[in-house]
């Protein structure tokens, strides 16, 4: 079956750096997405990786290794507003988005 | 980025009644829209894929007669929860992307609808 794993919850300090990992086993691969979701709201797009390597976008970066079925989202200079759930999603061979359960990130002052 | 508008943002209804949720792509044509359901502290679960002008494709375990999906135009898809029961209470989210089902861009999400059945 298809499976995406990411930690359930992480805690970090304001101003620090945090890395959220995601491993996947899917039937085919057509890209990996990271989304941010605040409680009670719809997800918002953060990043997209389809080739191996690092994609940087401001304070957020996302890395992909297709051979390892692994990605991470790196958040720098953490702010209180970054407290949210971070969802990893993989587009499979049928172009369906397969979602991870999300990682709840708690930022402490 | 592209805008997807979902309405209503929240609704409370009595058990046994039906509720319609609208999803509109405001500045692009979406040949395919997706409907998700999310229970508290759980991930997004795909319910169905809505194709303009044809019948929706439902995921296994989703009752097509209970969750009616209509994609009448390239900018509007609706989800009707018929004869709603308390266990249908959930957060319903629609999304759309460019290029239909095989678009390789990110999915744009509506604001979500919080349905509470009492």
């Amino acid at each position: 079956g298809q499976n995406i794993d990411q930690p359930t919850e992480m805690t970090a300090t304001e101003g620090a750096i945090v890395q959220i990992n995601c491993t996947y086993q899917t039937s085919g691969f057509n890209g990996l997405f990271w989304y941010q979701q605040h409680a009670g709201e719809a997800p918002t797009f953060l990043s997209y990786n389809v080739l191996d390597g690092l994609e940087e976008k401001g304070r957020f970066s996302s890395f992909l290794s297709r051979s390892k079925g692994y990605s991470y989202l790196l958040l720098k200079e953490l702010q209180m507003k970054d407290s949210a759930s971070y969802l990893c999603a993989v587009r499979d061979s049928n172009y369906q988005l397969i979602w991870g359960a999300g990682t709840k990130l708690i930022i402490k002052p | 980025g592209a805008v997807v508008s979902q309405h209503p943002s929240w609704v409370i209804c009595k058990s046994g009644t039906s509720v319609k949720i609208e999803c509109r792509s405001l500045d692009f044509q979406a040949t395919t829209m997706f409907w998700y359901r999310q229970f508290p502290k759980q991930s997004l679960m795909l319910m169905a894929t809505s194709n303009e002008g044809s019948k929706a494709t439902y995921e296994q375990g989703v009752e097509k007669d209970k969750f009616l999906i209509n994609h009448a135009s390239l900018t509007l898809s609706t989800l009707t929860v018929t004869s709603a029961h308390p266990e249908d209470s959930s957060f319903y989210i629609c999304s759309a992307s460019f290029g239909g089902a095989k678009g390789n861009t990110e999915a744009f999400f509506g604001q979500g609808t919080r349905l509470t059945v009492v």
Side-chain angles (χ1 to χ4, degrees), chain A residues 6 30 33 35 37-45 47-48 87-88 91 93-102 104, chain B residues 34 36 38 41-46 49 59 91 93 95 97 100-112 114:
Chain A
Q6 49 181 131
N30 283 294
F33 300 80
Y35 285 84
Q37 186 179 25
H38 286 99
E41 298 181 10
T44 56
F45 171 76
S47 68
Y48 171 69
L87 305 175
C88 173
R91 199 189 297 271
S93 57
N94 293 318
Y95 287 84
Q96 295 275 43
L97 275 178
I98 311 300
W99 294 88
K104 183 179 180 180
Chain B
F34 305 88
Y36 294 89
Q38 186 177 33
K41 298 184 179 181
Q42 295 187 23
S43 186
L44 294 166
M45 297 297 295
L46 179 65
T49 302
E59 295 300 300
F91 191 51
I93 309 174
S95 78
S97 60
K102 294 193 174 183
N104 62 354
T105 61
E106 70 269 27
F108 300 96
F109 288 87
Q111 301 94 320
R114 174 74 58 193

Side-chain angles (χ1 to χ4, degrees), chain B residues 27-79:
Chain B
D27 51 3
F28 69 102
Q29 293 182 332
T31 54
T32 304
M33 290 186 178
F34 305 88
W35 286 95
Y36 294 89
R37 179 168 52 184
Q38 186 177 33
F39 292 105
K41 298 184 179 181
Q42 295 187 23
S43 186
L44 294 166
M45 297 297 295
L46 179 65
M47 299 176 66
T49 302
S50 167
N51 299 295
E52 187 266 338
S54 64
K55 293 182 178 180
T57 303
Y58 289 81
E59 295 300 300
Q60 192 173 10
V62 178
E63 301 174 57
K64 60 181 66 177
D65 294 331
K66 181 171 182 63
F67 298 99
L68 301 179
I69 291 173
N70 183 273
H71 196 153
S73 74
L74 288 171
T75 59
L76 174 65
S77 177
T78 61
L79 167 67

